Amino acid sequence: MADITRLILADHEWFREQFAKLDYLQARAHPRPEDLQRVWGPLGDKLDVHAYAEEAIFYPQLLTRGHDDPEGETLDAIGDHNDIRDGVRDANDVEIGSDEWWAAVGRARKANDEHMGEEEREGLSDFRKHAPAGLREALGRQYDAFMTSHPTTRGLDISDRDPQAYVDGVEADSAQTKDTSLGIGSLKGQ
């Protein structure tokens, strides 16, 4: 079983491949809307589901285990996720293949490209260095199960999140789960 950082990287590669497919379609004189939808539908959904899964599974652990400014990395990532969600939502609100649609897809792509690069250099690298392999693998199992059970956004709250409120909420939850009687902290998630 791959650890969570490998699964996130695999998603990133899939995103790059799907955006490349849209490039090929856009290069055609008149791409058919159904061809665009065949690529965009799963791509738009997975961008949102991926962000949701990272926020539910990965970033709370990065805040606990990271050493290289995990709070700053998380604040930036949640802001990036909001930008990606906004682009996806805007694309889904206009006619597929229209100039407005391509512009919205472009915004989602740009935000996603920036996010992936930063996350690969910072958050994922930090987590690989400082989180034990067993934890990364356990989180990988959770992440894989979540992604498998959520091929679309149906039932998920994919609204934008306030980055600071997110971090504050995770930190408050973490403080509540610590076992202060032994002073060793919670083993939840290991």
Side-chain angles (χ1 to χ4, degrees):
M1 173 54 78
D3 75 34
I4 191 167
T5 64
R6 290 185 184 272
L7 294 175
I8 290 171
L9 288 171
D11 280 355
H12 289 184
E13 185 58 30
W14 187 85
F15 293 142
R16 290 179 177 105
E17 290 170 3
Q18 301 315 300
F19 279 115
K21 287 179 183 179
L22 288 177
D23 290 342
Y24 289 119
L25 290 171
Q26 189 175 22
R28 293 182 183 172
H30 300 288
R32 297 180 324 165
E34 58 268 23
D35 293 337
L36 296 172
Q37 182 59 36
R38 194 173 301 115
V39 176
W40 176 250
L43 174 56
D45 275 344
K46 191 165 184 171
L47 285 166
D48 283 338
V49 174
H50 174 89
Y52 187 97
E54 283 187 344
E55 291 169 5
I57 300 168
F58 176 68
Y59 280 100
Q61 292 294 324
L62 178 66
L63 283 165
T64 302
R65 304 283 178 167
H67 288 242
D68 304 329
D69 190 22
E71 183 172 332
E73 294 166 14
T74 302
L75 289 167
D76 188 50
I78 303 304
D80 291 345
H81 287 170
N82 288 340
D83 293 342
I84 295 163
R85 283 188 277 261
D86 293 346
V88 170
R89 189 171 30 254
D90 290 349
N92 290 339
D93 286 344
V94 296
E95 180 183 347
I96 195 160
S98 66
D99 290 344
E100 296 83 10
W101 183 81
W102 283 110
V105 168
R107 288 191 303 277
R109 182 183 196 169
K110 182 177 186 220
N112 191 56
D113 285 351
E114 290 172 2
H115 170 67
M116 291 187 305
E118 291 169 353
E119 187 173 67
E120 290 167 9
R121 285 187 311 275
E122 298 168 4
L124 294 175
S125 175
D126 185 10
F127 201 68
R128 277 191 300 275
K129 290 185 228 172
H130 299 106
L135 174 61
R136 293 192 319 269
E137 290 170 3
L139 294 173
R141 286 188 296 276
Q142 289 176 20
Y143 184 88
D144 185 52
F146 183 87
M147 294 301 287
T148 299
S149 66
H150 293 88
T152 69
T153 59
R154 190 166 298 132
L156 300 178
D157 176 7
I158 56 168
S159 58
D160 287 353
R161 298 175 192 355
D162 177 275
Q164 189 62 56
Y166 171 86
V167 168
D168 292 346
V170 169
E171 289 175 346
D173 288 347
S174 178
Q176 289 177 0
T177 61
K178 287 191 177 177
D179 178 4
T180 56
S181 64
L182 297 176
I184 60 172
S186 172
L187 297 178
K188 181 179 178 183
Q190 290 190 18

